[in-house]
Amino acid sequence: MSSARSKSFQILPGFGLSLGYTLTYLSLIVLIPLAALFLRTSELSWAQFLKIATSERAIASYRVTFGCAFIAAVINAVMGTLLAWVIVRYRFPGRKILDGLIDFPFALPTAVAGLTLANLFATTGWLGRWLDLVGIQVAYTQSGIIVALIFIGIPFVVRSLQPVLEDIDLEVEEAAASLGASRFTTFTRVIFPTLLPAILTGFSLAFARAIGEYGSVIFIAPKRAEITPMLIWYRLEEFDYPGAMAIAVVMLVISFFLLITVNLLERWASRFQR
Amino acid sequence: MAGTTQKRWTSGNAKSRRGTEDPWYIRWILIGIAGFFAGVFLVLPLANVFGQAFAKGWQAAFGSLADPDTIAATKLTALATLVSVPLNTVFGVAAAWLIAKFEFRGKAILTTLIDLPFSVSPVVTGLVYVLLFGLRGYFGPWLDQYDIQIIFAVPGIVLATIFVTFPFVARELIPLMQAQGSDQEQAALTLGATGWQTFWHVTLPSIKWGLLYGVILCTARAVGEFGAVSVVSGHITGVTDTLPLRIEKLDKEYNSVAAFSIAALLAVLALLTLGLKTWLEHRQQRELDLAQTSSDSPDEH
């Protein structure tokens, strides 16, 4: 078909085929279904939409979702940086295993994560019973949601940071040290600024993932504080489609913004790396 | 110039030690914190899965897996995975070929759109398909006329799984194929190979590890998907329950051993995935290294 083109050696064959296939499949599976959500929601008037999206229960769910996701992402940013640093910079027994385990939350089904975390942190569980002695309740409280979201988000920060840490030129640190900077100053003034874009990328990825997370959270969430995906689920169960759609659109729009943020951050980070 | 080099050679070792290494106590404190964190958040949850599954002995655990409804759920999970992974693999290869080998307008937007399913909450994914194919959805009445059921039936579960695992293969292949460039394909075409021959004999062998890596990630996610599938499933025991949904149901019925036995099965699968992933990362790194020193002829084939 495109023999004339392939003979020109400049352009490989298959442009039309791969473009057509990619666009068709993308449209059928992703774009048209998502467009349907916006189309259905547009049947609501602006006032109706606002009323649902800003109802007391919806706002309460945003508060739980974004609050817990934010706290979990902050903890992941700090602990992820520490983990990445330890894995890349230090040599100690078990380092390879630790490195491999980081991806465990990616590989484990979220329902399994939720089930085991809820059990672990329940007052009868291996960890919960000790925490209970000091009066800390984790499972079936908002801290439980945060614990689940920390688990889900660990790999994001570590995996965004690792390549950057591995690429850091040790000579820059040597230079800082030989010019009299203390190790602490070297870290805060030289290393940290280089890592910052990757930390922010990892933070945003973990945050974005945490906002939409459902599977692990429902096992450990308290009955009273519901996250936004749970609210959508309840609305659907009541066949209150407008209620589910309007809140879903709010979530989608926020996710899109986060996706764009992550893309911009990655571009910024790659400029730093060169 | 020569002076600085000399200086680095002579005193470099001692200097670099002081300049780039942390004091031993900082090292051990940080390793300790990392170990503690990993212990609480990664090792203990994993150990707990097996601990709870075998809490009442091996027989109770394995016996609960033989439950007919659990077996039906296993079959459904296998079906959804076996349909969605190949479809998304073909798509991933096509999309990576398009994005890595050609320059065209809107490429950046297309790349972002492919990542889109990653940022959609699973519950929203499920909702979207309900709005399309549910009884009150766009195609609902029409489907109903022909007695085709998608929502609260197997097709809906398969569709939701496809959506959720959509970007995995493409995401792995795009950077790999971009790094490899298209010199080898052009050489093959110059020598008279057809497009498909070039693809099968030149491109595919050079991306096979990356491809396998993407397929494994895609499979892991397909097996474990919960939220999206949960919305479209309808939770009919023995019919539309996948393994993760079965876990939720058993947990709600306070059947801890059965729930944790399925969880243990899926955890073993996750560990296998991790093992394969680590091994493939190793192979893929070699592939990339080969691509970067592409002037060397590949020793395979």
Side-chain angles (χ1 to χ4, degrees):
Chain A
M1 272 194 299
S2 57
S3 60
R5 277 203 147 183
S6 61
K7 286 264 163 62
S8 76
F9 310 133
Q10 290 300 314
I11 302 165
L12 296 172
F15 179 72
L17 180 67
S18 58
L19 181 72
Y21 185 77
T22 303
L23 288 183
T24 312
Y25 191 73
L26 179 71
S27 306
L28 280 178
I29 300 291
V30 180
L31 298 183
I32 294 175
L34 286 181
L37 173 64
F38 282 98
L39 213 62
R40 278 300 285 269
T41 313
S42 69
E43 290 167 13
L44 299 173
S45 75
W46 187 240
Q48 277 174 308
F49 175 80
L50 274 185
K51 196 178 162 219
I52 298 167
T54 61
S55 71
E56 215 171 289
R57 196 167 162 191
I59 301 252
S61 83
Y62 303 146
R63 201 168 288 151
V64 176
T65 305
F66 290 98
C68 291
F70 184 79
I71 295 171
V74 169
I75 293 174
N76 274 329
V78 175
M79 292 313 294
T81 308
L82 192 150
L83 280 165
W85 179 265
V86 164
I87 289 171
V88 173
R89 283 301 180 88
Y90 302 156
R91 293 292 171 269
F92 55 94
R95 188 186 72 95
K96 280 255 161 82
I97 297 174
L98 180 64
D99 189 21
L101 260 182
I102 295 295
D103 282 325
F104 186 58
F106 274 160
L108 193 74
T110 51
V112 179
L115 181 76
T116 181
L117 286 172
N119 181 281
L120 200 61
F121 284 97
T123 45
T124 50
W126 291 355
L127 278 175
R129 82 175 62 140
W130 303 109
L131 291 170
D132 194 38
L133 288 180
V134 249
I136 302 174
Q137 301 264 328
V138 176
Y140 317 116
T141 67
Q142 288 204 26
S143 330
I145 302 182
I146 295 171
V147 164
L149 297 179
I150 291 174
F151 178 86
I152 296 298
I154 294 170
F156 289 102
V157 180
V158 181
R159 293 304 182 223
S160 326
L161 262 182
Q162 254 176 330
V164 183
L165 262 176
E166 275 160 9
D167 275 0
I168 281 189
D169 205 343
L170 287 180
E171 282 178 26
V172 182
E173 284 172 50
E174 277 172 39
S178 67
L179 289 173
S182 71
R183 188 69 187 137
F184 180 74
T185 315
T186 309
F187 186 81
T188 51
R189 296 286 181 82
V190 179
I191 305 172
F192 187 70
T194 324
L195 299 183
L196 191 62
I199 296 176
L200 285 176
T201 306
F203 170 84
S204 314
L205 286 170
F207 185 59
R209 174 70 204 269
I211 287 172
E213 179 56 23
Y214 176 73
S216 60
V217 173
I218 59 155
F219 285 88
I220 203 167
K223 289 277 173 298
R224 264 182 238 143
E226 60 194 3
I227 53 167
T228 309
M230 275 160 82
L231 182 58
I232 297 175
W233 169 247
Y234 293 141
R235 292 281 187 252
L236 257 175
E237 259 192 335
E238 296 157 0
F239 296 103
D240 175 10
Y241 285 15
M245 287 177 332
I247 298 167
V249 163
V250 172
M251 286 209 72
L252 258 187
V253 170
I254 293 169
S255 311
F256 290 163
F257 274 111
L258 274 170
L259 182 69
I260 294 167
T261 311
V262 169
N263 274 356
L264 292 177
L265 277 172
E266 274 174 351
R267 217 171 287 171
W268 182 40
S270 70
R271 203 186 300 160
F272 256 77
Q273 261 178 313
R274 294 292 122 79
Chain B
M1 244 347 226
T4 36
T5 326
Q6 182 121 43
K7 209 171 178 185
R8 241 178 63 201
W9 276 112
T10 47
S11 65
N13 231 348
K15 261 260 163 72
S16 89
R17 233 177 221 186
R18 252 183 286 146
T20 61
E21 263 182 28
D22 304 325
W24 64 269
Y25 54 90
I26 300 243
R27 271 206 309 267
W28 286 110
I29 290 172
L30 292 185
I31 291 173
I33 298 174
F36 178 77
F37 184 79
V40 168
F41 281 96
L42 298 171
V43 179
L44 270 180
L46 176 63
N48 190 47
V49 170
F50 294 102
Q52 298 301 324
F54 297 126
K56 288 182 183 143
W58 294 80
Q59 276 172 329
F62 284 106
S64 72
L65 287 180
D67 176 85
D69 292 334
T70 300
I71 291 176
T74 314
K75 281 183 185 157
L76 181 55
T77 295
L79 174 76
T81 308
L82 287 176
V83 174
S84 58
V85 173
L87 280 175
N88 286 335
T89 304
V90 173
F91 164 75
V93 173
W97 179 270
L98 177 71
I99 286 167
K101 310 280 184 195
F102 302 103
E103 289 303 325
F104 55 92
R105 266 184 165 193
K107 194 158 116 168
I109 298 173
L110 184 65
T111 316
T112 310
L113 285 178
I114 290 174
D115 276 347
L116 204 54
F118 274 149
S119 61
V120 177
S121 171
V123 175
V124 176
T125 304
L127 167 71
V128 157
Y129 282 107
V130 170
L131 291 178
L132 270 183
F133 302 114
L135 258 185
R136 288 202 260 162
Y138 280 117
F139 303 110
W142 182 82
L143 288 167
D144 195 45
Q145 239 174 20
Y146 294 92
D147 230 13
I148 304 170
Q149 204 181 356
I150 290 181
I151 299 304
F152 305 148
V154 175
I157 290 170
V158 174
L159 270 177
T161 310
I162 293 175
F163 183 99
V164 170
T165 55
F166 182 85
F168 280 90
V169 177
R171 251 233 142 153
E172 273 323 307
L173 285 185
I174 290 169
L176 177 66
M177 279 168 80
Q178 273 173 338
Q180 288 178 340
S182 48
D183 294 350
Q184 300 207 3
E185 280 84 357
Q186 283 180 10
L189 290 165
T190 319
L191 295 171
T194 66
W196 283 112
Q197 278 175 330
T198 309
F199 174 75
W200 286 111
H201 297 291
V202 178
T203 309
L204 206 54
S206 68
I207 59 166
K208 61 176 181 286
W209 299 116
L211 182 64
L212 196 56
Y213 185 77
V215 167
I216 284 170
L217 293 183
C218 190
T219 308
R221 185 66 200 269
V223 170
E225 177 49 28
F226 184 85
V229 168
S230 168
V231 172
V232 297
S233 141
H235 302 266
I236 308 160
T237 304
V239 182
T240 60
D241 270 346
T242 63
L243 281 178
L245 296 178
R246 184 91 187 120
I247 291 180
E248 188 203 11
K249 198 170 270 178
L250 289 167
D251 182 55
K252 274 189 180 154
E253 291 166 2
Y254 298 104
N255 194 342
S256 166
V257 167
F260 272 99
S261 299
I262 300 177
L265 183 73
L266 293 176
V268 168
L269 224 61
L271 287 176
L272 278 177
T273 307
L274 276 192
L276 266 172
K277 191 171 174 287
T278 313
W279 179 68
L280 281 172
E281 257 164 4
H282 199 70
R283 301 302 303 246
Q284 202 189 10
Q285 194 53 49
R286 274 179 47 191
E287 220 169 61
L288 265 175
D289 291 345
L290 266 180
Q292 265 145 26
T293 54
S294 59
S295 51
D296 310 349
S297 63
D299 39 28
E300 306 169 87
H301 302 277

